[in-house]
Amino acid sequence: MTGMHLRFEDVHYRYPAGVEAIRGVSLAIEPGERVAIVGQNGAGKTTLVRHLNGIFKPTAGTVHVGDWLTTDHDIAELAARVGYVFQNPDEQLFARSVQADVEFGPRNLGVVPEETTRRAEQALATVGLVEQKNAHPHHLSLSERKRVALAGVLAMHTPIVVLDEPTTGQDAAGIDMVGKVMDTLAADGRTVIVITHDMDFCAEHFPRVVVMTNGQIQADGDARTVFGLAQTLAEAAVEPPQLIRLSQRLGWGYSPLNTAEFVEYCARRRSERVG
Amino acid sequence: MIRLDGVSYAYPDTVRPVLENVSLDIGRGTIAGILGASGAGKTTLAKIIAGFIPHVDGGELSGTVSVEGQGMGDLQLAEAVSRVGLVIQNPFNQISGARYTVREEIAFGLENFGVARPEMQDRVGEVADLLNLGPLLDRSPYELSGGQQQLVAIASMIVLRTPVLVMDEPTSQLDPAGTRMVFDVLSTLRGAGITVVIFEHKLELLHQHADVLYVLADRSIVAAGDPTDILADAHLAEWHIGSTRYTRVARAAQKRGLLAGLRHLPVSLEQAVAVFADDGGAR
């Protein structure tokens, strides 16, 4: 599976009630990139990514998904390219069993029944819900329902996967599992876009970070650089990951993105001091 | 204040209990945090304390549950609701669906309690100020973002002024600023004598705000105590509960042979700064 490039060009979006939620966003994402979009509630993150699967069409500007202009294609067509995991799983789940729900997406894309079943089983194994495959989704906990919704999108094998707050309501094991899914998707070459408030998760799994405020992009770059922009982050009400806050308090001038980087840097400082 | 003695519970048509022999004793004006992996029974425990179990969900409940000395099992649901406000996990499901504006939504519970209109208006205004909801009061609850809906759900419970608030992951949809605001509001309510039971995964904030933490695992309470002690407990991983990055990185540093002689693992930023500043950090 290969990813697909995405391009927003001077996109504006105004809700019918008049609120301008996106105010001139230009953003290019390469095939196979992992990009996190962060920012406070109401910054326009969800509105922006809903342009990718055609739920919203720009009021002005253009959005390309691969070689398609989104205004030329409807939601059903775009679903073959963009898998979208909603923030609220109850917007997404409707079948009477977990397995049927996960099979809906690929079947709708015209995948043959045997392959649909195989993909659903594989996706349910990935999210750790094989035992619940015959359960009614609404008898599951919120964290399990979110994982069903994720499995449904995984089974579609889309080149682009968009996830809106995938870690909320997940416990430590659930967050680790979602992180591994992100890494696997990236290893498959798929383009992954996440919206998240969980900056620790973001630093550990997303090499590129885009910061939004008031419908505009305030910063866009590699995670280490962006998380070092103290002023920009403060203005966007984004709190850096715990390990970066710690390194800043220690006056390191280095932003470790994960535990291994932190310990490695700490050991090096110590050996330099001893030496 | 909130007392559970030997509480066990199984949902209708199931054999295996979700909770077994749970006992808790939470004092008035306390913020009690409850940790647990997904499926540990946190939502069930929240509903038991709030009286929704067995009144709404049915099932087999044994043991005793009391709030302010009153057995919850002896109360009608309406009376239970006047003592314990429950903020459920998914805000999308807490919005009543019966009101057109945020203002009416927050007032909905007060209407049901028969509160006079002038007082209702005052109380809605007060809670809207507390949670920065003033600019949203005339919007439809369904036009709001997930985070904004969550604040409305919290406001609709705080406005009832119940002596106890039970909150099931109340900040899951909120950004860091919104999350801090909610925790600050809970600390203010504690100062006014309100007792808060909060089920949360955000360990750093629990450490800052909770007076006591309980760990729910294997269908029962397996640990209880001071937040610093609980969050540094080596068994947390066995109970499938994470730890703060500060604790994780200190453990990893110890494995690497750093932090020799460290006796207490850090669980907060301040503690981690102290630990790492002594070992190759700030100097």
Side-chain angles (χ1 to χ4, degrees), chain A:
Chain A
M1 177 69 58
T2 52
M4 204 174 256
H5 75 261
L6 301 167
R7 206 164 67 245
F8 294 84
E9 282 177 276
D10 196 23
V11 170
H12 291 253
Y13 181 77
R14 187 183 290 278
Y15 278 97
V19 177
E20 191 175 21
I22 302 297
R23 301 186 301 133
V25 166
S26 294
L27 179 67
I29 295 173
E30 297 303 314
E33 268 201 282
R34 267 175 292 167
V35 182
I37 301 177
V38 306
Q40 61 193 131
N41 290 128
K45 307 181 299 292
T46 298
T47 305
L48 182 71
V49 298
R50 287 187 175 191
H51 281 79
L52 292 172
N53 62 350
I55 291 180
F56 295 136
K57 309 283 183 175
T59 315
T62 57
V63 178
H64 278 90
V65 173
D67 56 353
W68 286 1
L69 191 61
T70 57
T71 42
D72 293 341
H73 296 271
D74 61 23
I75 293 176
E77 289 172 319
L78 285 162
R81 294 191 168 189
V82 181
Y84 192 107
V85 185
F86 286 75
Q87 182 178 13
N88 178 10
D90 299 337
E91 284 186 54
Q92 200 158 348
L93 305 179
F94 59 91
R96 296 168 72 95
S97 79
V98 166
Q99 174 98 14
D101 220 305
V102 175
E103 286 183 357
F104 176 80
R107 185 181 303 125
N108 216 29
L109 293 177
V111 177
V112 297
E114 300 76 35
E115 173 64 6
T116 294
T117 303
R118 192 192 67 78
R119 285 191 192 181
E121 284 172 354
Q122 189 182 31
L124 286 171
T126 302
V127 302
L129 287 176
V130 172
E131 285 179 19
Q132 288 89 338
K133 70 177 185 180
N134 295 320
H136 193 296
H138 290 172
H139 290 163
L140 302 181
S141 69
L142 178 63
S143 69
E144 288 170 331
R145 294 202 304 280
K146 286 196 74 133
R147 279 148 61 194
V148 175
L150 172 57
V153 167
L154 293 178
M156 292 170 73
H157 287 195
T158 51
I160 298 153
V161 179
V162 179
L163 306 105
D164 196 346
E165 296 286 359
T167 61
T168 55
Q170 300 294 337
D171 61 11
I175 292 173
D176 284 348
M177 183 277 296
V178 174
K180 282 188 186 128
V181 171
M182 302 297 100
D183 296 344
T184 306
L185 289 172
D188 285 352
R190 296 207 242 176
T191 308
V192 185
I193 297 171
V194 74
I195 291 174
T196 186
H197 291 308
D198 184 339
M199 294 305 131
D200 302 309
F201 171 78
C202 176
E204 287 163 4
H205 299 283
F206 288 85
R208 180 174 169 191
V209 177
V210 173
V211 182
M212 285 188 74
T213 53
N214 294 323
Q216 295 180 318
I217 291 178
Q218 297 303 322
D220 175 9
D222 68 89
R224 205 182 307 279
T225 305
V226 171
F227 283 131
L229 303 172
Q231 179 76 18
T232 306
L233 295 185
E235 285 167 9
V238 170
E239 208 164 55
Q242 290 179 0
L243 293 182
I244 292 180
R245 276 189 277 149
L246 175 56
S247 71
Q248 287 170 344
R249 284 286 301 276
L250 294 168
W252 278 6
Y254 168 69
S255 298
L257 295 175
N258 54 49
T259 301
E261 287 187 4
F262 186 100
V263 172
E264 187 57 39
Y265 188 79
C266 192
R268 205 163 70 228
R269 285 178 68 94
R270 190 163 112 144
S271 67
E272 283 167 6
R273 205 170 64 244
V274 172

Side-chain angles (χ1 to χ4, degrees), chain B residues 3-275:
Chain B
R3 202 179 159 102
L4 273 67
D5 277 317
V7 168
S8 299
Y9 176 71
Y11 278 99
D13 306 322
T14 61
V15 179
R16 191 181 149 130
V18 179
L19 296 174
E20 274 185 310
N21 199 25
V22 170
S23 296
L24 289 174
D25 193 353
I26 299 170
R28 181 182 159 86
T30 298
I31 297 179
I34 301 189
L35 304 174
S38 296
K42 299 192 299 298
T43 296
T44 304
L45 181 56
K47 288 193 203 167
I48 287 172
I49 296 172
F52 278 62
I53 288 176
H55 286 300
V56 177
D57 289 28
E60 279 296 313
L61 179 70
S62 59
T64 60
V65 180
S66 67
V67 171
E68 294 185 303
Q70 172 70 55
M72 294 295 274
D74 302 332
L75 297 176
Q76 296 298 309
L77 183 60
E79 294 171 301
V81 169
S82 70
R83 288 167 192 266
V84 182
L86 174 64
V87 177
I88 62 175
Q89 195 177 16
N90 191 346
F92 311 104
N93 297 341
Q94 183 134 20
I95 304 290
S96 69
R99 291 293 178 267
Y100 294 109
T101 67
V102 168
R103 188 191 309 278
E104 292 167 349
E105 179 65 34
I106 297 173
F108 186 57
L110 295 176
E111 283 181 75
N112 288 333
F113 284 165
V115 173
R117 193 165 181 81
E119 185 186 340
M120 198 155 67
Q121 286 168 336
D122 287 349
R123 280 165 68 170
V124 170
E126 198 177 292
V127 77
D129 286 346
L130 203 60
L131 291 166
N132 279 341
L133 288 170
L136 305 180
L137 283 175
D138 295 317
R139 302 257 306 266
S140 160
Y142 288 98
E143 280 178 5
L144 305 181
S145 72
Q148 290 166 332
Q149 285 189 344
Q150 195 153 38
L151 289 176
V152 172
I154 293 168
S156 67
M157 283 298 121
I158 288 178
V159 78
L160 299 177
R161 296 187 185 164
T162 53
V164 174
L165 279 173
V166 176
M167 311 178 96
D168 191 359
E169 297 189 35
T171 66
S172 60
Q173 315 289 330
L174 292 173
D175 59 26
T179 301
R180 283 193 185 282
M181 178 178 71
V182 168
F183 272 93
D184 288 343
V185 166
L186 296 184
S187 290
T188 304
L189 295 173
R190 166 179 56 192
I194 306 280
T195 305
V196 180
V197 183
I198 182 165
F199 298 77
E200 252 299 350
H201 294 300
K202 292 176 182 168
L203 305 179
E204 192 176 8
L205 282 157
L206 279 179
H207 179 259
Q208 287 168 10
H209 292 271
D211 302 297
V212 60
L213 291 184
Y214 292 87
V215 178
L216 188 59
D218 302 328
R219 300 192 288 281
S220 195
I221 299 290
V222 293
D226 177 76
T228 297
D229 295 339
I230 293 292
L231 290 176
D233 194 311
H235 297 93
L236 279 190
E238 284 170 33
W239 298 321
H240 305 290
I241 295 166
S243 42
T244 66
R245 293 315 194 267
Y246 310 121
T247 311
R248 285 190 208 182
V249 83
R251 280 210 183 94
Q254 278 185 318
K255 277 190 188 158
R256 182 71 183 263
L258 304 169
L259 305 181
L262 180 68
R263 293 174 61 195
H264 298 289
L265 287 168
V267 300
S268 68
L269 176 61
E270 295 309 322
Q271 291 171 2
V273 168
V275 163

